[in-house]
Amino acid sequence: MLGKLTVRPMLNFSKYCMISAGIWRLPLPTDNPIFNKIYIFYSAVVNIYFPLLVSSMCIQFVIVFIDENADKSSGKLFKHFSYLITLACVEVTTILCQSARVKDIVRYIMEEEERIIRSEDEEFLQHHYEQLHYAKKVNKYLFAVSFGVAVSMAFDNLHRRFQVEKFNRNHYERMVKPLPYELYYFELDREKYDKVLLAISYVTIVVTGFLVASTKMIFISCIIFVQSALTGLQIRFRKVAFSEDYLKRLAFEHQRIVAFADKLNEAMKFLILLEYLLNSMNIAAVSIQFISMDLEFTPIFYFCYLCVQTFTLGWMANEIKIQSLTLADALYATQWYDQRIEVRKLLLTMITRAQKPLVLTNGPFDAMTTESTLRILKASYSYISLMLNNYQ
């Protein structure tokens, strides 16, 4: 059963989410020319529409902030602010996911998994099989919380529209029904085009859900792949008997893993820094909504999404660091004392290299770990206190 694993399964879920979001830049799973043309058109629309969406949301936020007659209640203002931060971060991540560097990373994982599946080591294959299930489980959780926010936004908006419609009917008013998020519509008649704008908003929510989920899952899957490669290497090092040629092959694989982890860090470090800086403000802005707005589902799901995303990234990055250091213990646990002097020298060199941990960094700063996650939460608490003092 282990020898019949599907090729490239670790990225399958992420791949189909990226295709749904229009940001997959490697060959599609079908050669149908009609589907390919439709996808190219859809991808172009997504990549043009979302920068315009973020720009429109930013303009509207500035207008509301400087307009003396605008509703500046803390709940609505911070709700707009949190959406703006999230979409801006998603847009940056979307651009990054379509870069040549990320395409090379994804292509490397695909090629490595094809090579792994051809292995005849049953214990190694079993380990890889377990890591696939682990990656799928994590990705499903990320997908669920991302779309939980999207569904709650649609539900809360329908509830508010129903309340406005009921108010208009009882008081003979013509209040404009709210849309899921605030945008600048360039003097467009909101009441006249309400149904069209509502349909576009809901389609945008769905596509954004795929964008948010896929941009997070692709990097989490890459991190899990590095963890899997490191733990798989430990399994192979712990074999009782190995030759000098076998050890050299494993040493070469270790160098490849180190090079790949460094390349992944180069692709992710400024994204991690961006999330590190913005997530604390975003968690604070969402928390204010709990205090200052009527009970809605969106802040609850949105808070859960931010916490799951932040803790998942910190946990995964910390695991890479731990597993890279544990590799030295696996090397020392071998029967090195029974080997020839050349083998012992090679083992010593590898142990020395394994003393330097593999890390994902916050831009040019320190490593991302679980302690970094706690710092984000502490910063969020400070922002909440500051926001409450300013809006009391």
Side-chain angles (χ1 to χ4, degrees), residues 158-290:
L158 288 174
H159 178 65
R160 291 196 303 271
R161 289 174 67 87
F162 174 77
Q163 289 180 322
V164 171
E165 184 177 355
K166 184 178 179 181
F167 179 85
N168 289 344
R169 191 167 53 246
N170 294 338
H171 297 83
Y172 302 100
E173 296 283 347
R174 295 189 63 182
M175 288 179 59
V176 178
K177 297 176 184 178
L179 293 171
Y181 42 79
E182 295 291 331
L183 294 178
Y184 180 64
Y185 293 101
F186 302 96
E187 307 302 329
L188 188 67
D189 189 338
R190 281 275 306 276
E191 188 175 0
K192 181 179 179 180
Y193 296 100
D194 178 69
K195 294 292 192 298
V196 175
L197 293 174
L198 183 66
I200 293 174
S201 297
Y202 282 3
V203 171
T204 300
I205 288 175
V206 173
V207 177
T208 303
F210 279 110
L211 274 174
V212 171
S214 60
T215 52
K216 305 306 177 193
M217 289 191 299
I218 190 66
F219 287 115
I220 292 298
S221 297
C222 291
I223 294 174
I224 293 175
F225 178 80
V226 176
Q227 294 179 26
S228 175
L230 288 170
T231 52
L233 201 59
Q234 293 175 33
I235 290 173
R236 299 170 76 181
F237 273 129
R238 290 193 176 102
K239 298 295 181 183
V240 175
F242 53 79
S243 64
E244 184 176 352
D245 290 338
Y246 180 75
L247 184 60
K248 287 180 178 179
R249 288 199 303 272
L250 295 184
F252 177 70
E253 286 191 26
H254 182 220
Q255 291 176 353
R256 292 180 62 187
I257 295 170
V258 170
F260 176 76
D262 290 341
K263 192 173 183 178
L264 180 62
N265 182 53
E266 285 298 314
M268 287 190 66
K269 63 181 182 181
F270 291 108
L271 171 64
I272 293 175
L273 177 62
L274 180 66
E275 301 229 2
Y276 182 82
L277 295 175
L278 296 184
N279 273 5
S280 54
M281 291 188 291
N282 217 348
I283 291 173
V286 173
S287 300
I288 294 294
Q289 295 178 45
F290 288 127

Side-chain angles (χ1 to χ4, degrees), residues 336-380:
W336 54 269
Y337 42 82
D338 291 334
Q339 308 299 323
R340 295 187 298 108
I341 185 66
E342 292 81 5
V343 176
R344 279 183 278 173
K345 287 181 178 179
L346 183 56
L347 282 169
L348 180 60
T349 302
M350 295 176 68
I351 290 174
T352 303
R353 174 60 188 87
Q355 299 302 310
K356 181 182 178 182
L358 301 179
V359 295
L360 299 176
T361 58
N362 293 313
F365 304 111
D366 59 344
M368 182 69 179
T369 62
T370 49
E371 292 180 3
S372 305
T373 303
L374 295 177
R375 287 200 295 268
I376 290 175
L377 297 180
K378 289 179 181 178
S380 299

Side-chain angles (χ1 to χ4, degrees), residues 85-155:
I85 288 177
T86 300
L87 283 180
C89 189
V90 168
E91 179 58 27
V92 172
T93 312
T94 298
I95 295 171
L96 180 61
C97 284
Q98 299 176 84
S99 66
R101 178 176 289 174
V102 173
K103 285 195 292 184
D104 290 342
I105 288 172
V106 172
R107 193 180 292 113
Y108 172 85
I109 293 178
M110 291 178 172
E111 294 171 354
E112 282 298 294
E113 287 206 315
E114 289 179 351
R115 186 181 64 82
I116 289 171
I117 290 169
R118 292 195 297 268
S119 173
E120 297 180 356
D121 189 329
E122 287 294 325
E123 184 181 3
F124 180 63
L125 283 173
Q126 178 64 40
H127 163 264
H128 182 67
Y129 186 70
E130 291 170 355
Q131 291 298 306
L132 295 181
H133 280 281
Y134 174 61
K136 290 177 182 177
K137 186 180 296 185
V138 172
N139 285 336
K140 286 179 180 178
Y141 284 141
L142 290 172
F143 184 84
V145 295
S146 299
F147 264 86
V149 177
V151 172
S152 63
M153 283 181 65
F155 179 83

